[in-house]
Amino acid sequence: MPVRWRAPGRVNLIGEHTDYNDGFVLPFAIEQGTTATVDTRTDGRVAVASTQRPEPVEVAVDTFRPGTGSWADYALGVLWALRRRGVDLPGLTISIDSDVPVGSGLSSSAALVCSVATAVDALLGLELSADDLLAVTRSAENDFVGAPTGGMDQLASLRSEAGHALFCDMRTLATEQVPFDLGDLTLLVIDTRAEHRHADGEYRRRREGCERAARQLGVPALRDIDAAGLQSALARLDDDELRRFTRHIVTENERVLQTVAALRAGELAELGPLLTASHVSMRDDFRITGPELDCAVDALLGVGALGARMTGGGFGGCVIGLVETRTADTALAAVQTAFADRAFGSPQAFAAVPSGGAHRLAS
Ligand code: GLA
């Protein structure tokens, strides 16, 4: 009997590039997700097909190697990571269907690896622990596909609960479900459709820069610098870029903690200035925004959004804007007009619904 699991994409509410600095993040799962339907087969081969891709991929279960560059690597990477952990895999048929936009910073890749990992786990009765599932899905992306990402996306896709944001300490991987009830506010997600130009190289550069800064400061990770120690840390760094990276990470960790406190207190409006401050820090210090992202944020703030920021890895993708629900249409129209004025592409938008993490569907 085939087994079907669906795993969602995510929006990161706040805490950008803090995950690989052992810091804090606050993502939530969205309604859009990826469904993997898996079944065993007897010929020792793995076939991966997707409704969204014309070319199915078929390989022998014991031959595939990292880094072929195919879209199917995300699915094959999960199997490869399972094999590395000693799982004896039979042949498999894997069918993928997804409504997470690709390349928009909504973690379509995490949705894919998490849907495949949870489906294969259930099909084969592996009973992997939550930590093992996280390790397998991270390894598929980091070691097989070769994307040096930080783990937030897979955690969000696996462990989110509907109506909550997921507060994670990325050092200990401890998580807390924080109620996220938007009340009469709407969190607009605006996909700017801006290309992630050079995003991989720029992401790696930020990651390496943060690691260099931590080494210069004599700490295991930038997480170990807090707001009180920021000025003296900056004075000990010899490079302006490393000072900017450090300032972003330290202040961003602080903003995550403040956002969690505001959510726990039910003070949603307090999120606004924190989101906007996060964007300014990513624009001026971490330098991972871009013309379309800045334009969307400015347009939202210009028509009275409580706050707005880019979300995800950067250099393209989505902006989130916290607006009063009755003004959501006006806010979106303001972004569309600003984009048309600057001859940018047409943005797409939806209202975010904090949703549940990976779950089984009826076969
Ligand atoms: C990408 C990565 C995550 C995280 C974010 C930035 O989404 O996959 O691990 O680093 O960028 O916060």
Side-chain angles (χ1 to χ4, degrees):
M1 270 287 276
V3 167
R4 294 173 75 211
W5 276 69
R6 182 169 169 88
R10 62 101 189 91
V11 158
N12 190 18
L13 185 56
I14 198 160
E16 224 62 86
H17 287 252
T18 44
D19 61 351
Y20 56 78
N21 286 291
D22 277 4
F24 304 114
V25 293
L26 189 63
F28 63 89
I30 53 178
E31 287 176 300
Q32 294 84 341
T34 298
T35 301
T37 306
V38 299
D39 205 354
T40 51
R41 51 194 276 165
T42 52
D43 60 1
R45 296 183 72 75
V46 176
V48 192
S50 163
T51 317
Q52 284 73 40
R53 306 275 180 170
E55 290 297 315
V57 169
E58 196 181 307
V59 285
V61 73
D62 51 1
T63 58
F64 50 86
R65 304 268 175 274
T68 67
S70 154
W71 66 270
D73 278 359
Y74 290 93
L76 297 178
V78 168
L79 307 184
W80 174 85
L82 287 170
R83 281 231 323 268
R84 278 219 306 186
R85 301 172 80 86
V87 175
D88 187 18
L89 286 175
L92 292 167
T93 298
I94 302 177
S95 308
I96 304 294
D97 189 17
S98 181
D99 61 0
V100 187
V102 174
S104 297
L106 298 174
S107 291
S108 59
S109 56
L112 176 50
V113 291
C114 293
S115 65
V116 171
T118 49
V120 171
D121 175 53
L123 178 75
L124 303 181
L126 303 178
E127 298 189 353
L128 294 179
S129 68
D131 285 350
D132 284 345
L133 275 173
L134 182 64
V136 163
T137 51
R138 282 185 71 167
S139 174
E141 287 205 50
N142 292 162
D143 306 324
F144 194 85
V145 176
T149 56
M152 161 177 70
D153 308 337
Q154 299 85 359
L155 201 55
S157 185
L158 290 167
R159 299 198 197 160
S160 290
E161 284 180 14
H164 293 76
L166 186 69
F167 175 38
C168 315
D169 177 336
M170 295 302 296
R171 170 164 280 166
T172 63
L173 298 180
T175 56
E176 180 192 330
Q177 304 289 342
V178 184
F180 184 26
D181 176 4
L182 281 154
D184 53 7
L185 299 179
T186 291
L187 193 73
L188 272 182
V189 182
I190 297 179
D191 183 353
T192 64
R193 314 291 290 258
E195 254 182 76
H196 292 229
R197 260 170 264 118
H198 312 303
D200 286 357
E202 294 290 344
Y203 186 97
R204 207 177 285 274
R205 180 186 173 91
R206 302 298 182 287
R207 189 168 180 150
E208 287 168 2
C210 289
E211 285 162 6
R212 214 163 53 246
R215 273 197 305 278
Q216 280 190 22
L217 294 168
V219 291
L222 288 183
R223 147 72 177 275
D224 297 295
I225 309 293
D226 61 11
L230 177 59
Q231 288 312 321
S232 85
L234 295 181
R236 277 154 42 223
L237 291 169
D238 63 5
D239 177 278
D240 182 54
E241 182 169 84
L242 296 193
R243 278 193 286 273
R244 287 191 287 96
F245 289 177
T246 301
R247 190 161 50 222
H248 168 70
I249 298 300
V250 173
T251 58
E252 185 77 349
N253 274 327
E254 195 61 27
R255 284 186 288 270
V256 175
L257 298 178
Q258 289 169 356
T259 305
V260 170
L263 283 180
R264 284 191 190 125
E267 300 289 351
L268 261 279
E270 284 182 15
L271 266 53
L274 293 164
L275 299 181
T276 305
S278 170
H279 187 80
V280 170
S281 178
M282 292 190 286
R283 185 191 64 201
D284 298 345
D285 275 344
F286 220 56
R287 302 199 181 162
I288 54 171
T289 68
E292 291 90 344
L293 296 162
D294 293 339
C295 177
V297 166
D298 290 346
L300 288 165
L301 296 176
V303 289
L306 284 79
R309 66 184 285 274
M310 178 212 95
T311 183
F315 307 99
C318 289
V319 156
I320 52 175
L322 188 65
V323 300
E324 287 177 25
T325 299
R326 61 183 174 75
T327 68
D329 290 345
T330 318
L332 177 56
V335 176
Q336 285 164 335
T337 305
F339 271 46
D341 286 350
R342 302 210 25 203
F344 294 154
S346 227
Q348 305 286 305
F350 62 91
V353 178
S355 302
H359 56 278
R360 191 171 185 153
L361 301 177
S363 295

